[in-house]
Amino acid sequence: MVAGAAALRAGLAPPIGCITESPDFRGAGLPGFGHLVFGGHDVTSTPLTKRAEELTRSGVIPPPLAELVRPALDAADSEIRPGATEGGSQGAVARRLIGDLAEFRERRGLARVIVINVSSTEPPAAPDPAHLSLDALEQALEGDIPVLPPSSLYAYAALSAGCPYIDFTPSTGARLPALDELARRRGLPYAGSDAKTGETLVKTALAPMFAVRGLAVRSWSGTNLLGGGDGATLADPAAGESKRISKDRALAEILGHQVEGRTHIDNVPHLGDWKTAWDHITFEGFLGVRMSMQFTWQGCDSALAAPLVLDLARLMARAHERGVAGPVAEFGFFFKDPVGSNEHRLHAQYESLRQWLGQGA
Amino acid sequence: MVAGAAALRAGLAPPIGCITESPDFRGAGLPGFGHLVFGGHDVTSTPLTKRAEELTRSGVIPPPLAELVRPALDAADSEIRPGATEGGSQGAVARRLIGDLAEFRERRGLARVIVINVSSTEPPAAPDPAHLSLDALEQALEGDIPVLPPSSLYAYAALSAGCPYIDFTPSTGARLPALDELARRRGLPYAGSDAKTGETLVKTALAPMFAVRGLAVRSWSGTNLLGGGDGATLADPAAGESKRISKDRALAEILGHQVEGRTHIDNVPHLGDWKTAWDHITFEGFLGVRMSMQFTWQGCDSALAAPLVLDLARLMARAHERGVAGPVAEFGFFFKDPVGSNEHRLHAQYESLRQWLGQGA
Amino acid sequence: MVAGAAALRAGLAPPIGCITESPDFRGAGLPGFGHLVFGGHDVTSTPLTKRAEELTRSGVIPPPLAELVRPALDAADSEIRPGATEGGSQGAVARRLIGDLAEFRERRGLARVIVINVSSTEPPAAPDPAHLSLDALEQALEGDIPVLPPSSLYAYAALSAGCPYIDFTPSTGARLPALDELARRRGLPYAGSDAKTGETLVKTALAPMFAVRGLAVRSWSGTNLLGGGDGATLADPAAGESKRISKDRALAEILGHQVEGRTHIDNVPHLGDWKTAWDHITFEGFLGVRMSMQFTWQGCDSALAAPLVLDLARLMARAHERGVAGPVAEFGFFFKDPVGSNEHRLHAQYESLRQWLGQGA
Amino acid sequence: MVAGAAALRAGLAPPIGCITESPDFRGAGLPGFGHLVFGGHDVTSTPLTKRAEELTRSGVIPPPLAELVRPALDAADSEIRPGATEGGSQGAVARRLIGDLAEFRERRGLARVIVINVSSTEPPAAPDPAHLSLDALEQALEGDIPVLPPSSLYAYAALSAGCPYIDFTPSTGARLPALDELARRRGLPYAGSDAKTGETLVKTALAPMFAVRGLAVRSWSGTNLLGGGDGATLADPAAGESKRISKDRALAEILGHQVEGRTHIDNVPHLGDWKTAWDHITFEGFLGVRMSMQFTWQGCDSALAAPLVLDLARLMARAHERGVAGPVAEFGFFFKDPVGSNEHRLHAQYESLRQWLGQGA
Ligand SMILES: NC(=O)c1ccc[n+]([C@@H]2O[C@H](COP(=O)([O-])OP(=O)(O)OC[C@H]3O[C@@H](n4cnc5c(N)ncnc54)[C@H](O)[C@@H]3O)[C@@H](O)[C@H]2O)c1
Ligand SMILES: NC(=O)c1ccc[n+]([C@@H]2O[C@H](COP(=O)([O-])OP(=O)(O)OC[C@H]3O[C@@H](n4cnc5c(N)ncnc54)[C@H](O)[C@@H]3O)[C@@H](O)[C@H]2O)c1
Ligand SMILES: NC(=O)c1ccc[n+]([C@@H]2O[C@H](COP(=O)([O-])OP(=O)(O)OC[C@H]3O[C@@H](n4cnc5c(N)ncnc54)[C@H](O)[C@@H]3O)[C@@H](O)[C@H]2O)c1
Ligand SMILES: NC(=O)c1ccc[n+]([C@@H]2O[C@H](COP(=O)([O-])OP(=O)(O)OC[C@H]3O[C@@H](n4cnc5c(N)ncnc54)[C@H](O)[C@@H]3O)[C@@H](O)[C@H]2O)c1
Ligand code: NA
Ligand code: NA
């Protein structure tokens, strides 16, 4: 994504997959690619250049481009700080993260810092009374026992540092009453969860077709095959569960009723980043006649996700500028499980986003 | 469709696939199923009861239902008149058809008669100067050489008899300047062409997904396998051509550019009414990464078409009542090649239809 | 299957799907369909006529045929006895089953009775020392605690009554050392396990293609969607596990190495008997180029299984006549997990069966 | 293929996809990869190094390998001579080609030269009386009007120069009575036609499954999407016709009867070398129940073809050594339309090849 932004900035690649570059969005006063500066927190020390090499080997980044964007990757690498570690109170860890964010903003002279969680999917977090109010949370953070999953600790730190926050993953992140309270109190926008880049994207474009045609969907079954880091993480049933919950929400909302069928997520290392999803749908038409449809999606996850990260950064900058506080429901277009909204129909979400952008003073 | 209407009327079947029965349309003052009376013109003398038997054998109409709706089929059979035959001037044939329509309306005491062309697809019609104005057309109709394809002769007769007209097929039908003139002069609505019930339905729900996500579709290839009367007709390259033209229009309109790929229509008698379509799409994402998607649609054509015929009859009655003259662009939702509109995106078409219905005084 | 046999006998249906009626098998001295007499044990009292009605409703048995074979179903119904129940020693239950089999053979004057287990799939059975020798087993059967799963109790009863036994299911059945000992001691053949009628059938035809072409299969993932009684049973993870073990064996044997990928079995009641399986395969070719293949199988389970049951009955009669004792390895063609053989390649299995039949004196 | 052979020779790549390296073939006395020397005739002057670059760009040849095999490509490039041109008598052209082959063999000190036609597919050739005997052909070759399609002129030249000949394409090549006469008179083997590397490969593995299971295939429809040079060539209906004829032969032979359905070959430039084929099959089971199966094959044509070219060169060397004259029916395993054989079942073909190799003295 850093590689991609560098390529876009230098005019080395067309902005395919970046919706903020489409005619509907141009002229909306979004920050240019050239104005973005990258940094981050990570728990691994594998440099971005190394990961870009893997993406080159697997055919995602063309070799000549990889050469040209290497300086941009080195620059971003030098802005990556150690992630949230265990040991000590979470409050102390949070203060370190907040410091990193503030230091980055000041040293680089940035108008704002947008924090986007693109780390590995966590298992669903156990409920805790301290999640219900900011006061209770801040008290619990000083204890010895961790009260927040890492994604929420990052959200807490981001919001405390005055930074808008985005959950690109299905992890809990900002979706706790205490953190919503924090965002509203600080006048900060947040958005999420779980970018829709494949099977769910198609699902939310297709399910409304059955709805408007009055065709009665009876079952929708899905199998997702993927490798890479995400494949390995989601092979863990607990992490996979977060993803499945997030993926399954859309259908019942769009159709207005539950349907039969399950969603599987399988780790197939040989596929690497090339996720393959098969969905099978049965439906009834006039006089109860049974019909079916199936689709196979073969997408490259990183190439699908990267432009959305850039889009979200630009749009969130605008939301921050416009003083939005709390969840930005209009960003639901990007997410499997949109915070602040029950609208899952892709085209309705797009309209909502377009209108939001148009309104802005 | 007659069987289905009888079943709906008698409450023997739920209105699956009838969009005019969905919450968005109820209360819009559409005529009830119980108020519809069926008749028609056909060139074959095979009775409807016989065709219903075939549909029962092939699993479309459940056997008990077939029994219960037999009287309704007999009633409709008795209202079927010989279709447009060759020999004599087309003007003379038209007068006979007009007479049939008027006689039917009066004898049965109907508020209006809606004519819907559901006959076999014709080859594209050769252009003729007489198609360009009503005067020229009416003069040419009295000559010995046929000037109109049958679908347009039926449209001429319908409009002349004061009946709204709908092209459910890709045939020329009302889509000639002379007939548009006739419709406007008589203050009559018409609509078409070619109901979208399968591959194209999915295409117009899915292509906008690529568009709003900025993913660059490079190719879209399609193969349609079908048997039945329609399969046999479309196996003729000339008739197939009409269908292919009608099917291919949507994509370039939605994406804003041409893409690679062809559409095939194959006659596979063993499939009967169960049309199977496979579509394969290649697209590029960020940094030009190549991805693909494919879907297979397995639908029962008659079960998909019948409720749309009923929907269109009801909606067209409303358009007639409201005094619409000329093409009803807002009915584009139903068609592969919407007359009066370049909007092919299914969800935008749905919104347009919904708003049209809501406006009605 | 009873319905089908009656139809074949009466010449009402061609023997599609019966391999014993193909040119390769005719003249091999197999018993004619007209010589088969049906009976059985079941734990339900739902009559066959009732199940045939369901099969008619779901389109498997054509309605007119259903009428014509009703007497044959009634006859078979009258030969169904209560299955193995719990309570009392398993030895006592076995004696009752043995008595039923002997009485059936004598009263109907049959040359032999072939017992085929087509009951619901059981969970994998817990190992027990009494499974290892016939003496130990016979002693344990007289105890109060059940030592055998029902499928093995039926196998014990069948073999004890002098009847060949076939495991059409993945359940344990005859596959215990003690029962193998019994079969050999009594000079009786047995065969199994788990008829291959869908995904695995295709797998064992297709995997050898990759092998002979030297293409390196890296992953093979499968999702099976099915409803009906079998779907409901296999939704239970324990029963599903038996099936999955049985399904997964073939691939590694054929390819000579393990591959990535899992097999899912989902209960989708709306599909009824129409099982749908999707398999996705990745493989490497020259210079490590990555390619993929996928297939979707849409088969009607009962229509696929019934002729195999008849085939197996006829072939097993021949094996019995020829005095085969122990597992009939040459029947591996029919099974996902062939007892007595590691050969899973469909075409090699077919050759082996054909040669076996040809040898017979 | 030259690149691949160099890689294999240098141990830079494992021989995936080379069946002559499998355990069944090792020790059969085939020439080692290190003993192969490449040359050819072509009508283009684009060097192999340039084409290898394209294959690298499209992900077929890994970049580091491309570097390492460059000297081997340069060496082969220097052995490519101008192909058969028009103008002058075909006899004169043939003499030039024969001279090239003899000069290559002598200068490089080769035991034998195997000629393999891998040039663009030709349209079906018009029948000509001169094709029926060698005498008539040799006379006609001296006339002004071309009597042979280029593929057959190459075959004539190869056989006349004492070289075995292989038709890797569906073009006419050696398949004329006159050329068969020449091969037998000179004691030379030939083989063909049209390597099976994708859809047909799968078809010939899968169709026998339906046959041995007695399932009645009713339709088999196929759509092939491909780009590259082959895609562009086959977009020409005449050339495509040769390919379709060659592809369609297998099915009726294997099943013993004709089935419904067509095969399409579409040029989709965006796919490049990555051919995608979708096949849809309907079949009937017991009691006429209708079922279906479909598969999608996504293979890289050049990566699938290259090892077969190497395999065929090695095997043909052995056939030559063993003095085979006329068509080598046992090489049918490699071809869509095997000369000298009606056996299309992949596994039977494999057995036949294996046995042939084993016999060799
Ligand atoms: N198309 C897509 O790629 C896509 C779409 C939707 C959602 N997502 C989500 O985005 C996330 C990232 O996906 P990916 O494919 O890049 O995964 P990945 O496994 O390749 O990368 C995850 C990164 O997170 C880091 N990480 C893990 N725990 C961390 C922590 N506690 N603090 C800081 N960093 C931590 C890892 O070191 C690694 O660098 C996943 O949750 C995935 O589900 C991805
Ligand atoms: N899902 C669908 O079924 C669907 C969808 C879109 C469009 N259509 C179109 O609807 C039309 C009908 O489809 P079908 O499957 O019912 O076809 P069909 O072949 O079963 O029926 C066509 C009918 O038209 C009659 N006919 C033919 N020429 C006529 C003439 N000149 N005058 C009067 N009657 C004539 C025939 O006798 C027959 O009864 C076709 O054009 C088809 O392309 C159908
Ligand atoms: N294509 C196929 O249908 C196919 C293929 C391979 C294997 N099988 C296996 O065949 C078996 C039957 O499949 P089905 O679809 O007919 O299932 P089903 O659920 O429709 O029928 C199972 C029958 O077994 C009876 N049963 C259950 N427990 C019993 C017991 N202890 N004793 C006697 N009867 C008992 C039930 O009452 C019912 O009549 C399953 O194990 C299935 O996995 C079926
Ligand atoms: N998987 C496969 O690649 C595969 C499988 C089966 C058959 N084939 C057949 O192999 C042939 C080659 O396929 P390709 O993909 O390499 O095609 P391509 O278009 O990339 O290459 C064809 C080559 O033939 C040359 N050529 C054309 N006419 C010639 C002539 N008269 N004399 C000498 N050279 C000539 C062209 O210059 C070009 O170099 C085609 O006929 C194709 O159908 C390929
Ligand atoms: Na239009
Ligand atoms: Na075995």
Side-chain angles (χ1 to χ4, degrees), chain C residues 41-44 51 83-84 118-121 150 154 168-170 194-195 197 229-230 233 243 301-302 305 336:
Chain C
H41 286 105
D42 201 330
V43 291
T44 175
R51 308 226 208 144
V118 292
S119 70
S120 315
T121 298
Y154 285 113
F168 205 80
T169 78
D194 204 7
T197 53
D230 205 20
T233 302
K243 191 60 120 187
D301 259 10
S302 39
K336 296 193 186 81

Side-chain angles (χ1 to χ4, degrees), chain D residues 311-334:
Chain D
D311 282 336
L312 280 165
R314 300 173 86 187
L315 289 165
M316 194 50 118
R318 195 85 189 88
H320 189 215
E321 214 173 18
R322 277 158 67 172
V324 178
V328 195
E330 294 86 351
F331 291 4
F333 175 70
F334 294 96

Side-chain angles (χ1 to χ4, degrees), chain D residues 145-224:
Chain D
I145 302 153
V147 64
L148 289 179
S151 61
S152 299
L153 190 59
Y154 286 112
Y156 172 80
L159 296 168
S160 300
C163 305
Y165 181 83
I166 300 170
D167 277 308
F168 205 80
T169 78
S171 308
T172 312
R175 302 186 77 157
L176 294 175
L179 295 176
D180 181 73
E181 196 184 327
L182 173 57
R184 292 181 195 269
R185 202 178 286 180
R186 299 287 309 250
L188 289 170
Y190 67 93
S193 302
D194 204 7
K196 58 179 173 186
T197 53
E199 188 199 31
T200 313
L201 176 67
V202 179
K203 210 181 245 181
T204 59
L206 214 50
M209 176 192 84
F210 293 101
V212 296
R213 273 297 169 94
L215 298 167
V217 174
R218 294 293 181 229
S219 73
W220 196 305
S221 307
T223 296
N224 293 267

